[in-house]
Every structure is written in structure tokens, then in C-alpha cells.
Amino acid sequence: MSTNHNRVAVVTGGSRGIGRAVAERLAADGLDVVIVFAANEVEAKAAVTAIQEAGGRSHAIQADVADESAVKALFDMTEQLFGGVDVVVNAAGTMVLQPVAELDLDEFDRMHRTNVRGTFVVAREAAGRLRDGGAIVNFSTSVTRLNLPTYAAYAASKAAVEALGPILARELRGRDITVNAVAPGPTATALFLEGKSDEMIRNIAGQNPMERLGRPEDIAEVISLLAGRGRWINGQTIYVNGGAA
């Protein structure tokens, strides 16, 4: 990897939850970080402030990840701010849980627009813009292996993301750019914990041999490796779930 410039990361969905933990970890690793948010500017600015107060450089940019014009503008602005892009983390995503027979197809389309189209749009722009020696990290989910009722549409969207990685990795041959996906298990974010009883959370936590939920920092640790020194990991989906699947 080139060391004659500060490395720069773009993290979609970086204003909260796992995405924010990833943004803060990459900043702690010494990268300049652009936090991409869809709507919640307050949380995005709070994430930027946290990074800056810890001594890092960060900026928040609003963009619809499924809109190719907005994503092009996002990369343009990042290059203007920090000189280039080296790492892209596609953490933006949404989840709809419904049995197939009751699936709201409008909600299905909205989810796939973010999870599938959004990931592909950002990856497409990244493929043409990343500096050599860079990394693309996409987000899948461990539920692609668990066959859980109501998760079919969500799991299908993430299976599409998994299919992207090894193919794009081969298309980027010769540029030393890695493309991988992480597939978290249940992780203790506000979004995950909302609406769940203590008993339900204990039951979910007990499904893996570590007997706890994942923490956003657990996922960020793996992404730090993939974005940095893990150069011999390429075209893979890494399940980060404490052994649940």
C-alpha cells in the first residue's frame, strides 16, 4: 500500500450503530473518514465531532447510496476534501422482516434499493475511483445461513451482496484492491435492542458459544483488518458472530 498520502475511508451508514463504530475505528487507525448519512444529520455530526475530539479528521456528507449522481458527487467531494479515496465500507442498510406469503412488495423494493442497488452503485463508483492498494468492504449478514422465518427477503438482499465480492475482486485484478464482505451476527445496537424483551435478548445471545451479543466494536475490529493489513484476504465473506453459524 502507498504511504505517501494519508489514507481516506468512506463509510456509508456511518452515523450510528455498527457503521459509526467502524468510522471511529478507522479514524483511530489513522485514516481520514467521510461519514455518509441518509437523513439524520444530527447523529452524523455527532460522529464527526467524536472523531475530531479524538484527534482524527472527518467530514459528514449526505447522500442516497442508490442514486448514482449523488454517489458520484460524494466521491467528488471526498476527493476535494482529502485528496482521494482508499477504503469504502458499505454499511448502509435496512431490514424488512415478513413471511414471504405476507411480503409487502413496496417495502421489499425499498429494502433492495438500499441493500442491493445501493451497495452496487457505491461499489461501481469505488471500482473506478479507489487508489491502488485500496479496499472495499461490504455488509452481509449471518442470517443467510440460518434459514429463519420472516428473514427471506432480507437474507436474499444480502446474498446478492455476497455474490458481488469475489467477482468484483477478480475484475479489479492488478490494482491491489481487495473486496470482501463481513456478515455480522446479532449485535447490540440500539436498532437491534429496540422492542425486544430481556428474555428474548438472553435467548438470542445464548445461541452462540460465546453466550453474548456482538458489540459494534467486534465488527469494526474485523473491518479494520480488511481495510488495513489484511491484504491477503480477498473475495471472501467473513462471518463475525461468535460461532453462531
Side-chain angles (χ1 to χ4, degrees):
M1 291 179 292
S2 175
T3 56
N4 61 358
H5 57 77
N6 213 39
R7 299 183 80 229
V8 179
V10 170
V11 182
T12 73
S15 64
R16 57 182 177 175
I18 295 173
R20 176 165 175 174
V22 169
E24 292 183 355
R25 175 55 193 265
L26 293 180
D29 290 343
L31 282 75
D32 298 332
V33 178
V34 169
I35 291 172
V36 184
F37 68 99
N40 198 324
E41 186 175 8
V42 172
E43 289 190 351
K45 287 185 174 180
V48 168
T49 298
I51 289 172
Q52 292 174 340
E53 289 180 346
R57 296 205 303 171
S58 183
H59 191 84
I61 300 175
Q62 184 173 18
D64 175 359
V65 294
D67 181 332
E68 60 268 37
S69 297
V71 170
K72 182 181 183 302
L74 158 67
F75 277 77
D76 287 343
M77 187 174 297
T78 301
E79 290 176 351
Q80 291 168 14
L81 287 167
F82 295 121
V85 184
D86 302 279
V87 175
V88 170
V89 181
N90 276 306
T94 185
M95 182 166 59
V96 174
L97 301 181
Q98 294 173 344
V100 173
E102 301 170 13
L103 188 60
D104 183 317
L105 293 178
D106 287 338
E107 290 192 27
F108 174 88
D109 288 343
R110 282 192 291 272
M111 179 176 64
H112 278 253
R113 186 177 187 277
T114 298
N115 294 2
V116 181
R117 179 182 169 90
T119 298
F120 272 75
V121 168
V122 174
R124 184 181 76 158
E125 195 68 26
R129 305 281 282 264
L130 254 63
R131 293 185 283 213
D132 291 359
I136 298 170
V137 185
N138 299 319
F139 264 74
S140 181
T141 173
S142 287
V143 302
T144 56
R145 292 183 171 184
L146 297 178
N147 302 321
L148 298 175
T150 75
Y151 278 84
Y154 177 65
S157 75
K158 292 303 187 176
V161 171
E162 289 191 18
L164 166 65
I167 295 171
L168 181 56
R170 285 157 178 79
E171 291 176 351
L172 295 175
R173 175 185 294 274
R175 292 178 54 195
D176 189 29
I177 293 175
T178 61
V179 187
N180 294 288
V182 294
T187 304
T189 63
L191 186 64
F192 173 81
L193 297 172
E194 184 179 356
K196 293 182 175 68
S197 66
D198 289 344
E199 181 181 5
M200 183 182 299
I201 292 169
R202 283 194 299 270
N203 288 338
I204 294 171
Q207 291 173 6
N208 71 74
M210 308 298 286
E211 296 188 334
R212 68 170 176 85
L213 295 176
R215 297 182 290 262
E217 294 77 14
D218 294 322
I219 316 304
E221 181 78 19
V222 177
I223 292 175
S224 171
L225 173 67
L226 296 174
R229 296 186 179 276
R231 304 305 302 165
W232 201 233
I233 305 169
N234 195 16
Q236 306 301 312
T237 297
I238 300 175
Y239 288 78
V240 190
N241 57 32

